[in-house]
Amino acid sequence: MNLNKQKEQHPWVATVLEYVYIIIGAAIIAVGFNVFLLPNEVASGGVSGISTILYGLFDWKPGFVQYAFNIPLFIAGVIFLGKQFGARSLAGTLTLPLFVLLTASWEPATLNPLLGALFGGISVGVGLGIVFRGRASTGGTDLAAQIIAKYTGFTLGRSVMLIDGFIVLSAAVVFDIEKGLYALIGLFVTTKTIDIIQLGFSQSKMVYIITNRQEEIRDAIYNDVNRGVTRLSAFGGYTEQERPILLVVVYQTEFTKLKQVVKKVDPAAFVIVTDAYEVVGEGFKRA
């Protein structure tokens, strides 16, 4: 019996898995923080960045600092944003500082700040991506950003950028400009890694084809690429005449063949290509 069927027949399996994701993700974040970011004074945003700065200034233990920020922020989130955070987010809020305390004695993996920023950013991104898969969060400045967004009219992205930017700027002042730049690198790597964990590596391409030879291209794709074609209704913006678009999804390994087929049938075809990160259905991954 596969995992999806188990989830359908036993809903508690999904709940248990969500908490497993939270625990694993929090553990990965904590290890990355203690062996890569903290020893290199890379404060790449969030409450972990604040705890790095305060550790550098006052030698305060980061785990306790994170508890000191996370718990009030979680309570403020419930008060100002409602109870939608639930037990999962509370679990993330409490678990991450615990793992930070438990791994505090681990030896640094590197004392090169660039490597610390890169691999620390990857570790935090992987951990957060796993926590998000558990439909939870680790609390912290994400909750503060949501509160700011709700009461100021700022977008959530701008609110996060505002807070993380202030933390990175503080790191540059407390440590030095280079450490601030390393913090930016770590923040960027974390963001990109979260996207990869959430969406996966793009293995497919979504192709839009605008052509006057639709039937011929459709038949060629069926016969030569062995892929289905969807016809979308569209109208030319200038001519205001109907101009249907052909939509095809192929694996990356099939894209070159598709391009050759389209060019052979209609060299003047207008082709738009985008990444498709997750494709579920006939001929691709099963749900």
Side-chain angles (χ1 to χ4, degrees):
M1 183 181 295
N2 63 37
L3 187 58
N4 287 330
K5 287 185 178 179
Q6 288 185 5
K7 288 180 181 179
E8 291 174 3
Q9 296 180 8
H10 307 287
W12 60 268
V13 172
T15 302
V16 170
L17 279 175
E18 287 169 354
Y19 283 97
V20 169
Y21 284 145
I22 294 168
I23 292 170
I24 293 174
I28 292 173
I29 296 168
V31 171
F33 174 77
N34 276 321
V35 303
F36 290 117
L37 297 177
L38 183 63
N40 292 288
E41 298 178 330
V42 178
S44 56
V47 168
S48 64
I50 296 173
S51 67
T52 300
I53 294 171
L54 294 178
Y55 180 77
L57 284 174
F58 308 112
D59 203 30
W60 291 351
K61 288 195 174 185
F64 293 127
V65 171
Q66 291 176 26
Y67 271 130
F69 277 89
N70 278 346
I71 293 175
L73 282 171
F74 180 83
I75 295 172
V78 172
I79 293 172
F80 291 105
L81 302 174
K83 299 179 180 179
Q84 69 268 32
F85 303 108
R88 287 188 302 272
S89 292
L90 178 60
T93 297
L94 298 177
T95 302
L96 177 56
L98 175 62
F99 280 119
V100 169
L101 289 170
L102 292 176
T103 58
S105 60
W106 288 27
E107 293 295 320
T110 178
L111 293 177
N112 182 310
L114 178 57
L115 292 177
L118 289 173
F119 287 96
I122 291 172
S123 300
V124 173
V126 169
L128 284 173
I130 293 173
V131 170
F132 293 160
R133 279 184 173 268
R135 298 194 299 160
S137 78
T138 56
T141 55
D142 288 345
L143 296 180
Q146 292 182 52
I147 294 171
I148 291 173
K150 180 175 181 179
Y151 290 98
T152 64
F154 287 179
T155 64
L156 182 58
R158 185 173 295 179
S159 300
V160 171
M161 190 189 315
L162 180 68
I163 294 172
D164 285 340
F166 176 76
I167 294 169
V168 170
L169 181 61
S170 299
V173 173
V174 171
F175 301 123
D176 56 52
I177 294 295
E178 279 195 355
K179 293 294 173 63
L181 295 175
Y182 288 132
L184 280 175
I185 292 172
L187 187 58
F188 176 79
V189 172
T190 293
T191 303
K192 292 301 177 183
T193 304
I194 290 172
D195 288 343
I196 291 172
I197 296 299
Q198 289 286 88
L199 302 174
F201 290 99
S202 174
Q203 297 180 338
S204 306
K205 297 290 184 183
M206 185 162 57
V207 185
Y208 298 93
I209 305 167
I210 302 174
T211 175
N212 291 322
R213 306 177 70 175
Q214 293 176 28
E215 302 300 328
E216 296 170 67
I217 286 183
R218 184 198 63 184
D219 293 342
I221 293 173
Y222 283 153
N223 297 325
D224 298 341
V225 187
N226 194 29
R227 283 295 176 191
V229 179
T230 299
R231 192 168 120 168
L232 306 177
S233 296
F235 290 84
Y238 178 74
T239 63
E240 295 188 354
Q241 295 180 349
E242 188 174 9
R243 191 77 182 276
I245 299 172
L246 301 181
L247 169 64
V248 188
V249 179
V250 295
Y251 283 120
Q252 287 188 0
T253 53
E254 300 170 322
F255 175 66
T256 300
K257 178 67 174 178
L258 173 67
K259 189 165 61 173
Q260 291 172 344
V261 166
V262 173
K263 186 176 181 180
K264 182 179 178 181
V265 175
D266 183 6
F270 189 77
V271 180
I272 304 169
V273 184
T274 65
D275 288 327
Y277 286 95
E278 186 170 7
V279 184
V280 180
E282 185 68 32
F284 293 91
K285 184 173 70 174
R286 294 294 184 182

